[in-house]
Amino acid sequence: MAPSKLEQEDHVRDAAFNKAMHKNSSKAQGGLTALMQKDKTAQKAAVEEYFKHWDNKAAENETAADREARTAEYATLTRHYYNLATDFYEYGWGQSFHFCRFAYGEPFAQAIARHEHYLAYCIGIKEGMRVLDVGCGVGGPAREIAKFTGAHITGLNNNNYQIERATRYSEREGLSKQLDFVKGDFMQMSFPEESFDAVYAIEATVHAPSLEGVYSEIFRVLKPGGVFGVYEWLMTDKYDNENTKHREIRLGIEQGNGISNMVKISEGIAAIKAAGFELELHEDLAHRPDATPWYYPIAGDFRYMGSVWDFPAIARMSRVGRGIAHKFVGLLEKIGVAPGGSQKTADSLALAADCLVAGAKEDLFTPMYLMIARKPKA
């Protein structure tokens, strides 16, 4: 369900809004500390712009026109989602905004890094290569893969605030010469053709209004013979859009994660082939027979905790932890410390967590459909 035309980019407008809303909070420690430094008027505008696509639009009443309206404003929707959600992500999850597999007894941070290493290994990223990270967040995976491989990573991002935070973190870790971050829409990249030796995307291209569209842009900027690797968010082919319960799960995931239109695995495979790639490997890693399910942190299931040091992170994601966060953020909002809409954003993220777990348990959704594809040499 691709839009008839792409959104027009306006970097001057976006930079001005970023300065108005976030002020100097990109220099804050992160999490709730950064949240409390936002401009309330700009935050209100972001909340209204984002939630207009979801408020009073229940799954049983969803229409094709609703989905088309979201895909038509894919870039604005995603940009404002991360204006609102980034600080919560850093508070609750860390600086790598993605899920991962867990080995038995494996600590959370180690599992996150291993997931990134595995993708780099499958692609064949090596020292000296010029690599593009499509949808880089605050740069957690880019920093890890840069350190793991020695490659130079360029992170592409549609959100100024995340670019500022990513740049700050890379400077702090002494990686500025190995990393750079660029503002842009991955549906219409500014890079010349054949700019990169390899490209990866970790749970980011799901924000595209058309997977074929974003994969085609990746194909364009990749050198002949280069490899693209992606962990894609997809509904499984068990998903039935006519089933209201299935649709509630999909819509909850989309609302709580800034997604305009999620599609099935079969459509994702078709899209990467239609873009011109030779698909060398594809697998739903969520179906690996792991002892620990990928979704255990957002389910708040302490039985699978790999280290006592993971307790605070898992506790924050549990229902009790989310309930405490709901009340605490609501209190901060009420007394004027946190900007309006913060509690609404937190509640939307909690809804997403519940729907992600339900989608996983019913085998309707995967956040780690691995595809490794090569651009033909000729």
Side-chain angles (χ1 to χ4, degrees), residues 80-128:
H80 281 312
Y81 171 76
Y82 284 112
N83 278 332
L84 298 170
T86 295
D87 296 326
F88 286 103
Y89 272 38
E90 290 200 50
Y91 161 75
W93 196 260
Q95 295 170 16
S96 289
F97 300 166
H98 63 81
F99 294 108
C100 63
R101 295 171 58 213
F102 293 92
Y104 177 77
E106 186 174 31
F108 179 80
Q110 181 177 315
I112 287 285
R114 182 169 63 87
H115 200 60
E116 295 161 0
H117 296 172
Y118 184 67
L119 183 61
Y121 163 76
C122 288
I123 295 170
I125 298 175
K126 294 180 175 59
E127 186 169 357

Side-chain angles (χ1 to χ4, degrees), residues 215-229:
Y215 294 163
S216 295
E217 270 294 275
I218 290 168
F219 186 90
R220 182 183 67 79
V221 301
L222 186 62
K223 293 178 181 178
V227 175
F228 166 49

